[in-house]
Amino acid sequence: MTGRHAEAHRRSLEDKDGFWLEAAKAVSWTTPPTKALDASRPPFYRWFPDGRLNVAFNCLDRHFEAGRGDQDALVYDSPMTGKVERFTYRQLTRRVAKVAGGLRSLGVEKGDRVLIYMPMIPEAVIAMLACARLGAIHGVVFGGFAAPELATRIDDAKPKAIVFGSCGLEPGRIVAYKPLVDQAIELAKHKPKHCVVFQRKEQRAEPVAGRDVDFADLEAKSAPVDPVDMASTDPLYILYTSGTTGIPKGVVRDGGGYATALLWSMKYVYDIKPGEVWWTASDVGWVVGHSYIVYAPLLLGATTVLYEGKPVGTPDAGAFWRVISEHKAVAMFTAPTAFRAIKRDDPDGLFMKKYDLSRFRTLFLAGERCDPNTLLWAEEKLKVPVVDHWWQTETGWPITANCQGLEPMKVKPGSSTKAVPGWDVQSLDGEGRQVKAGEVGVLAIKLPLPPGSLPTLWNNDAGFLKSYLQEFPGYYKTGDAGYLDEDGYVFVMTRTDDIINVAGHRLSTGGMEEVLSNHPDVAECAVIGVADELKGQLPLGLLVLKAGVSKPSETIVKEVVQMVRDSIGPVAAFKTAVVVKRLPKTRSGKILRGTMQKIADDQSWKMPATIDDPVVLQEIAEGLKTVGYAKGA
Ligand code: COA
Ligand code: AMP
């Protein structure tokens, strides 16, 4: 690598202390750090061990104090309700401080956990920042998850309180949250003392006496509180993400490292300046929402747009262009699937022509592999750089990107460009040796991970070691496979575990298999991720029934589809399953999921040498044909 990117990358790895202490100057510390990396307990690393700060202060008060009080901090745009609301830094600071006071009056203090189960409304952001102000650790749970998923998070995080909205709004339906919260608390062993309910007028929730407190009342009657001074290494939040089983992993994020990394990224990856309008179309329940709807733009003093709507259908494929032009956004960030949906509905990009997009500079895409067609279509129609960048819940900010504020580089469609400064990305073989340029291997990051990435899993150091650090000592295993080319461009190809990516949402097929196997008539099952033009991947179930089951297969399929919806949530998008006689296995009994997926997607495949009975694959192909897959088999 040559040039500014190469130089910054080299320095970030060779002089970690110098590089990150310099970056940390952008943060407002109560006690500035004198040291960047704490490497005293490898493979557990910490950043800015002696620094102290409050992240919410950095997101709010300090801009207010620096003269940005009357600038919009947050613009809420909701085609679902027809509302647009603006909150200046002054207003947002005041609301956050009062809600923090309200939480404190319920007994929430520094280090306590608060789960937030909210739709895309300003109060979700306010609740997150109120926790950060108090030093309480928030755990936001995506609204598309069902009650059992919420229950697992309650039992793991043991929150003192849950903040929830009375309902979410999906096109054509209202999602009542309270029944889900009630069921989750019923299922969980840990019983939170309080729930704070934000009542939306679209559908109110009947409060539970003695448990539920009204959000608006609590805010109105509480005195504002000052930001609580925190160690840089104190947890700011826990964000649960799919692992290889039904039990999600509680990714922990610290405060000081995260604030430093996000501020660095806004300048050098995204090239955004304080005062500019930035829009991330995701959900606060995902990492993209945490980092780039809430924390990064507010840390910077930019204006962030909170959008409660879809790329299409709310009301049409011009929704994104309306938001960009109406709020004068200079850049946006979303998942490729959103652009596939727009392209499907408006292939010629006619809606774009109706809006003034003259201020719009860059489109950032992440969350799933970006197919070159979508990238090239967006580039051609928008006539701005389209940046595909790769990251994960665990990393908190991009691992690879075409850093717009550093040195925009040549685009290679299919590649998320090069390792961002701070990240030492390598492709390894099974023995942990680096493979040659162009050869696919396991994508791993040499330790230490940079600031902002997970220091551990919540209350689970052993799980952190086992999931990420043990297989390749000295490296963090990303769970993705791919390669680096001769120029150091990274191509992320596929997951190496059972995680699939559905419309930019990360899901565990293992978790879905656990649900299917609970059906009384199912003897054995497998869930595979099959290719989908819109969502990238979709889950598909294969069911082997117990001997003597007389119930029609269609009924069983309907039942398992409902079970996944009730247990994991609508976001799993599990709609298709097929009953087969047997599952293909190796002689040692391992189910050949990869081969079934290739057959379903009509990709070339080889008969595995270890298969116990080759005839089974023919039967599987026949079964898949009945649900529209394996057309060429
Ligand atoms: N609360 C409750 N239900 C939700 C939900 C939420 N917050 N978000 C999604 N769902 C539901 C949807 O209503 C849908 O339900 P259905 O089965 O009754 O139709 C189901 O979960 C699947 O949702 P999704 O996969 O998002 O499909 P969709 O058909 O509603 O929309 C897209 C498709 C492409 C428009 C949509 O996925 C999208 O906008 N994606 C943008 C990508 C994104 O935000 N990624 C996040 C990471 S960056
Ligand atoms: P999540 O933790 O939900 O953000 O999902 C992270 C996973 O999404 C990664 O491990 C990848 O599998 C996938 N992913 C995210 N961004 C990209 C990208 N730009 N290219 C390819 N895969 C991506």
Side-chain angles (χ1 to χ4, degrees):
M1 288 198 250
T2 53
R4 277 189 79 199
H5 184 111
E7 175 49 26
H9 190 256
R10 187 196 57 73
R11 194 166 159 239
S12 72
L13 301 186
E14 287 175 7
D15 175 21
K16 295 183 181 65
D17 263 311
F19 185 90
W20 288 113
L21 279 176
E22 196 176 305
K25 288 186 185 144
V27 174
S28 181
W29 302 86
T30 49
T31 309
T34 58
K35 183 178 159 63
L37 179 65
D38 173 4
S40 58
R41 205 168 59 97
F44 295 92
Y45 297 90
R46 295 289 183 270
W47 288 95
F48 310 115
D50 59 354
R52 297 192 71 84
L53 78 165
N54 181 282
V55 175
F57 172 87
N58 273 269
C59 289
L60 298 164
D61 314 54
R62 88 149 153 164
H63 303 306
F64 169 65
E65 287 171 7
R68 292 191 182 279
D70 296 325
Q71 179 198 308
D72 286 340
L74 179 76
V75 178
Y76 166 58
D77 185 310
S78 166
M80 300 306 299
T81 59
K83 265 197 218 156
V84 173
E85 279 172 18
R86 296 168 184 284
F87 301 84
T88 62
Y89 271 101
R90 189 188 313 277
Q91 290 164 332
L92 198 63
T93 306
R94 172 95 186 146
R95 288 202 61 189
V96 167
K98 283 176 67 82
V99 173
L103 288 173
R104 181 175 277 172
S105 72
L106 298 177
V108 175
E109 291 294 347
K110 178 174 168 175
D112 290 337
R113 275 80 56 211
V114 174
L115 285 197
I116 299 175
Y117 190 52
M118 302 276 265
M120 285 286 284
I121 54 175
E123 287 69 22
V125 178
I126 291 170
M128 290 165 78
L129 293 169
C131 290
R133 192 170 188 90
L134 274 184
I137 303 165
H138 62 68
V140 182
V141 182
F142 176 61
F145 281 126
E149 290 284 329
L150 184 56
T152 354
R153 287 153 175 80
I154 293 173
D155 276 336
D156 195 66
K158 300 190 174 45
K160 251 199 184 150
I162 300 182
V163 183
F164 70 92
S166 58
C167 68
L169 304 172
E170 283 296 292
R173 82 193 154 96
I174 294 184
V175 184
Y177 281 19
K178 181 167 166 284
L180 302 171
V181 172
D182 290 349
Q183 195 195 337
I185 294 178
E186 176 81 36
L187 286 170
K189 286 192 199 76
H190 173 82
K191 309 289 176 194
K193 249 195 168 150
H194 295 287
C195 289
V196 182
V197 193
F198 183 79
Q199 297 285 8
R200 300 190 78 181
K201 73 172 184 340
E202 290 73 19
Q203 184 165 318
R204 294 177 60 82
E206 195 51 51
V208 174
R211 185 195 77 180
D212 294 353
V213 179
D214 185 79
F215 190 110
D217 285 351
L218 187 70
E219 181 180 344
K221 71 172 192 219
S222 300
V225 298
D226 287 335
V228 170
D229 191 35
M230 306 289 291
S232 168
T233 50
D234 282 336
L236 173 68
Y237 66 72
I238 309 169
L239 179 55
Y240 288 90
T241 190
S242 298
T244 48
T245 64
I247 308 292
K249 295 172 177 163
V251 167
V252 173
R253 195 82 62 211
D254 69 1
Y258 190 51
T260 303
L262 291 186
L263 274 167
W264 190 92
S265 75
M266 284 308 269
K267 182 166 179 184
Y268 293 108
V269 178
Y270 299 103
D271 191 25
I272 304 298
K273 292 170 194 60
E276 290 189 322
V277 181
W278 158 263
W279 176 29
T280 297
S282 175
D283 190 287
V284 289
W286 306 119
V287 66
V288 171
H290 279 65
S291 294
Y292 293 105
I293 295 175
V294 183
Y295 286 106
L298 296 178
L299 282 164
L300 184 70
T303 300
T304 187
V305 179
L306 182 77
Y307 175 70
E308 188 182 31
K310 304 271 172 180
V312 294
T314 57
D316 53 37
F320 276 17
W321 323 130
R322 177 191 64 76
V323 173
I324 290 172
S325 80
E326 202 168 310
H327 305 306
K328 304 184 176 48
V330 297
M332 91 168 285
F333 180 170
T334 191
T337 189
F339 267 73
R340 289 196 294 268
I342 296 171
K343 180 169 149 232
R344 182 195 59 187
D345 284 14
D346 181 23
D348 298 323
L350 298 178
F351 276 109
M352 284 176 204
K353 303 203 168 96
K354 291 191 184 172
Y355 297 95
D356 175 10
L357 304 180
S358 57
R359 288 184 194 78
F360 187 62
R361 292 200 298 260
T362 330
L363 169 66
F364 295 92
L365 298 174
E368 58 176 325
R369 187 172 154 70
C370 183
D371 53 293
N373 278 345
T374 303
L375 184 121
L376 295 170
W377 180 84
E379 215 169 50
E380 186 209 315
K381 299 290 177 223
L382 285 167
K383 299 188 176 47
V384 298
V386 179
V387 177
D388 169 21
H389 58 327
W390 168 53
W391 53 299
Q392 314 180 305
T393 304
E394 291 85 345
T395 67
W397 63 290
I399 310 166
T400 60
N402 194 341
C403 294
Q404 296 300 294
L406 206 50
E407 181 191 22
M409 284 182 268
K410 185 178 146 206
V411 175
K412 296 192 189 184
S415 166
S416 50
T417 320
K418 298 188 191 184
V420 169
W423 302 93
D424 189 352
V425 181
Q426 300 182 11
S427 184
L428 307 179
D429 66 12
E431 310 300 316
R433 289 177 302 239
Q434 280 194 60
V435 298
K436 286 199 216 95
E439 266 178 34
V440 174
V442 172
L443 292 173
I445 296 152
K446 197 155 191 318
L447 296 175
L449 296 178
S453 45
L454 81 171
T456 188
L457 295 176
W458 178 249
N459 271 344
N460 191 5
D461 281 352
F464 177 55
L465 289 174
K466 183 162 176 272
S467 298
Y468 305 102
L469 305 181
Q470 247 158 23
E471 193 170 338
F472 302 108
Y475 288 89
Y476 163 86
K477 182 179 76 171
T478 64
D480 285 307
Y483 65 95
L484 278 77
D485 74 3
E486 300 282 352
D487 302 323
Y489 278 65
V490 178
F491 291 74
V492 182
M493 310 298 288
T494 180
R495 290 287 306 193
T496 57
D497 50 19
D498 72 353
I499 284 171
I500 57 170
N501 202 310
V502 180
H505 308 136
R506 170 168 161 181
L507 299 162
S508 157
T509 54
M512 293 186 219
E513 289 177 3
E514 283 174 28
V515 177
L516 301 188
S517 60
N518 283 335
H519 189 287
D521 296 332
V522 170
E524 243 190 331
C525 65
V527 174
I528 55 174
V530 290
D532 181 74
E533 250 182 46
L534 175 66
K535 297 192 180 185
Q537 282 184 298
L538 277 178
L540 184 148
L542 296 117
L543 312 170
V544 177
L545 302 185
K546 288 182 182 160
V549 169
S550 56
K551 207 187 250 182
S553 297
E554 307 81 76
T555 312
I556 295 173
V557 165
K558 269 195 199 136
E559 287 169 356
V560 296
V561 165
Q562 192 58 43
M563 282 169 71
V564 174
R565 201 174 168 93
D566 293 343
S567 300
I568 298 176
V571 69
F574 182 85
K575 306 238 159 130
T576 314
V578 58
V579 172
V580 293
K581 274 197 247 159
R582 300 175 283 180
L583 291 174
K585 290 186 189 162
T586 61
R587 282 188 282 274
S588 61
K590 199 167 161 271
I591 298 174
L592 292 160
R593 293 180 180 77
T595 313
M596 289 195 283
Q597 178 255 314
K598 288 200 169 77
I599 294 174
D601 289 346
D602 283 321
Q603 289 174 9
S604 65
W605 59 278
K606 274 200 216 122
M607 182 65 72
T610 53
I611 193 163
D612 69 344
D613 182 356
V615 179
V616 185
L617 285 175
Q618 195 47 44
E619 293 168 9
I620 293 287
E622 297 303 326
L624 288 170
K625 270 190 187 167
T626 64
V627 283
Y629 294 92
K631 293 191 185 110

